[in-house]
Amino acid sequence: DDAAGEAFDKVAKLLNLGYPGGVIIDKLAKEGDFRAIHFPRARMSDNSNDFSFSGLKTAVLHYVKQLSKDEKSKILPDIAASFQEAVVDVLIEKIKNASNSLKVNNVVVAGGVAANSRLRKRLFELAETEKISLFIPHPSLCTDNAAMIGVAGSNFLEMNFNQDLTMNALSRWEIGGPF
């Protein structure tokens, strides 16, 4: 519930921008100043690679609630840019920390958020300064992870795999996992 793409979608909905939120916020943010509003950065604990964007989404909600309709429309690009920067800051920090702590030099970034222009710019900068090999698809190939799984499933069905596809879906993980 607290993934970056989900945060973009929910904030876009909050700002009445439409769906999918990442593309819309990325475009609007280019017209704004990412330094205009300081939204919180999600830090679960020091040196942890965990993060959550729930506090950031709440901060945007509270910020927008105190604005008049005219104020909101005037600074909408700044809100988008400032929100986007908060998400990107956290992702860059966590990638850098994970790369260093796990002693890996290869980083793969995929999914819909990988198309975000600000994230891509900062990732290429990080790769250069940290001497990391960055593997990131062309933006046209960055799409929602669920959509990619759906396409893969569709391809398997079209190939007429004769496998039993029944399963028991569990809504919660149990101790030791669902299996």
Side-chain angles (χ1 to χ4, degrees):
D1 184 46
D2 293 323
E6 183 269 345
F8 275 99
D9 290 340
K10 284 202 173 167
V11 168
K13 182 177 181 179
L14 167 73
L15 299 174
N16 298 314
L17 297 176
Y19 182 87
V23 174
I24 299 164
I25 288 177
D26 189 14
K27 184 177 179 181
L28 185 59
K30 291 175 182 173
E31 301 169 23
D33 179 0
F34 66 83
R35 292 175 224 88
I37 306 156
H38 181 75
F39 289 123
R41 274 46 175 173
R43 290 182 176 84
M44 301 296 278
S45 64
D46 290 339
N47 298 321
S48 168
N49 292 324
D50 296 332
F51 59 88
S52 168
F53 294 111
S54 62
L56 173 59
K57 293 181 294 189
T58 302
V60 174
L61 171 67
H62 288 298
Y63 184 84
V64 170
K65 275 183 152 180
Q66 52 99 26
L67 298 173
S68 71
K69 192 174 181 178
D70 284 346
E71 289 172 321
K72 181 180 159 189
S73 66
K74 286 179 186 173
I75 64 167
L76 197 55
D78 290 342
I79 296 169
S82 297
F83 162 75
Q84 177 177 263
E85 194 68 11
V87 171
V88 170
D89 279 351
V90 170
L91 294 176
I92 293 296
E93 177 186 334
K94 297 302 178 176
I95 291 169
K96 181 179 176 180
N97 286 346
S99 173
N100 289 334
S101 66
L102 299 171
K103 297 179 179 20
V104 296
N105 295 325
N106 298 319
V107 173
V108 176
V109 181
V113 173
N116 181 277
S117 64
R118 181 69 178 155
L119 177 60
R120 294 175 78 86
K121 179 183 186 306
R122 299 270 311 273
L123 282 167
F124 287 116
E125 291 169 356
L126 177 70
E128 187 174 320
T129 60
E130 296 293 314
K131 308 296 184 233
I132 295 170
S133 295
L134 177 65
F135 299 90
I136 186 167
H138 186 275
S140 66
L141 300 174
C142 297
T143 187
D144 181 74
N145 290 335
M148 289 188 281
I149 297 300
V151 168
S154 175
N155 289 341
F156 279 115
L157 287 173
E158 287 176 10
M159 289 189 233
N160 293 319
F161 278 120
N162 292 324
Q163 296 179 352
D164 181 7
L165 300 177
T166 61
M167 68 173 69
N168 183 12
L170 300 173
S171 63
R172 295 181 186 263
W173 289 91
E174 298 171 5
I175 304 250
F179 303 106

